DNA sequence: TGTCCATTGAGAATTATTCTAATTCACCCT
DNA sequence: AGGGTGAATTAGAATAATTCTCAATGGACA
């Protein structure tokens, strides 16, 4: 188990985040399995045993983690944001039917010919989302 | 002006959409300038002269246009969906500071090495979003 | 002119996220 | 140990995008 408490503790500190109990719980949920979870899902998992963390704290913490570069937001569904503990360069496969999100390793997919930006613009990141659906399903009504 | 009323009328019909007054107004706003507009912005522009179209109709119509392939949803901002009248293959540049969305022509950017999909999966589309910000601005608090 | 079905619309409902303001907590200093 | 301090947490209200409800409207066609 690579993400025990002392490791998570150090991880937060390294990112300038005071490792409180709630933040460690949330980090635990995020890093235990490298899934893509919504705030709601994280809230549920954190409170699975005893309800100990509030909705506000989950949102505060996720925004803090995002600002400090501990997690990345994945914006594929207009209904809700997902949080990705993998901050390395990679892309996403999004199943429109099931809502499932899978990683695509960065080296599996090459991008070439990014346009040069207007002066004074800096690239913050490049997201590639491959939207898939189960064959036979259709968006047409 | 490539998008006068008769042209829009034919465009809707060609997509199997009955060209009502409100739908034509909305199509007009979308296709007049090929911008990326939110539902709220479209509602405002449609009602600039006389208030004649309701919020419900704008949402219904945008969903209908999307289902029939007349417009494409652009999901870059968790707060709201943008609608893109350009349904041809292309990608997007998103300015995180200003919220501005710009097109990147498909041929300006090459993608290679898309992973093969699990059996029974079909690609619905590939979105590439280049997130930029003004130099000097920072996400770090 | 009357019927019929699709379309529209006002406003309520839903829901993810943020905000507010008050409480609690961790930690340092003595 | 005890008290002060500022950060963290929280319950619940507020916000805002989108959807839903269902009654009213309207155009096409007999």
């Amino acid at each position: 188990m690579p993400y025990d408490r002392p490791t998570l503790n150090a991880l937060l500190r390294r990112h300038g985040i005071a490792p409180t109990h709630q933040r460690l719980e949330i980090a635990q949920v995020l890093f235990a399995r490298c899934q893509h979870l919504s705030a709601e899902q994280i809230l549920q998992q954190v409170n699975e045993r005893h309800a100990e963390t509030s909705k506000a704290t989950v949102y505060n913490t996720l925004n803090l983690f995002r600002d400090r570069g501990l997690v990345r937001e994945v914006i594929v569904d207009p209904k809700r944001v997902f949080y990705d503990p993998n901050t390395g360069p990679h892309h996403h496969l999004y199943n429109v039917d099931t809502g499932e999100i899978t990683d695509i390793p960065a080296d599996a997919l090459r991008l070439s010919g990014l346009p040069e930006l207007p002066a004074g613009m800096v690239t913050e990141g490049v997201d590639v989302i491959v939207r898939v659906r189960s064959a036979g399903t259709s968006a047409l009504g």
Side-chain angles (χ1 to χ4, degrees), chain A:
Chain A
M1 199 179 279
Y3 287 108
D4 51 9
R5 280 308 166 101
T7 306
L8 289 173
N9 210 296
L11 183 65
L12 296 207
R13 273 191 215 288
R14 210 180 319 130
H15 285 264
I17 299 168
T20 66
H21 177 62
Q22 286 89 338
R23 287 168 180 173
L24 285 166
E25 291 283 347
I26 292 167
Q28 172 120 285
V29 166
L30 278 164
F31 289 97
R33 301 151 181 271
C34 270
Q35 293 170 122
H36 305 80
L37 300 171
S38 68
E40 183 62 27
Q41 291 172 321
I42 290 166
L43 178 63
Q44 281 184 354
Q45 292 196 24
V46 162
N47 287 335
E48 213 147 64
R49 303 164 165 253
H50 352 289
E52 40 190 343
T53 301
S54 72
K55 183 165 54 171
T57 297
V58 169
Y59 278 100
N60 288 343
T61 301
L62 289 171
N63 286 338
L64 180 65
F65 284 7
R66 184 243 292 126
D67 290 346
R68 298 295 164 85
L70 233 174
V71 302
R72 195 213 266 196
E73 285 181 344
V74 181
I75 299 166
V76 290
D77 179 345
K79 302 258 96 167
R80 57 205 166 304
V81 173
F82 290 92
Y83 292 87
D84 186 350
N86 177 359
T87 55
H90 69 281
H91 304 297
H92 292 110
L93 193 84
Y94 178 57
N95 188 320
V96 173
D97 291 330
T98 65
E100 199 186 359
I101 301 173
T102 326
D103 279 358
I104 302 174
D107 56 11
L109 191 151
R110 259 183 319 288
L111 271 186
S112 51
L114 281 183
E116 66 264 35
L117 302 181
M121 292 277 125
V122 176
T123 299
E124 194 160 79
V126 179
D127 296 351
V128 178
I129 297 145
V130 180
R131 283 170 204 278
V132 303
R133 56 182 170 77
S134 313
T137 310
S138 168
L140 297 177

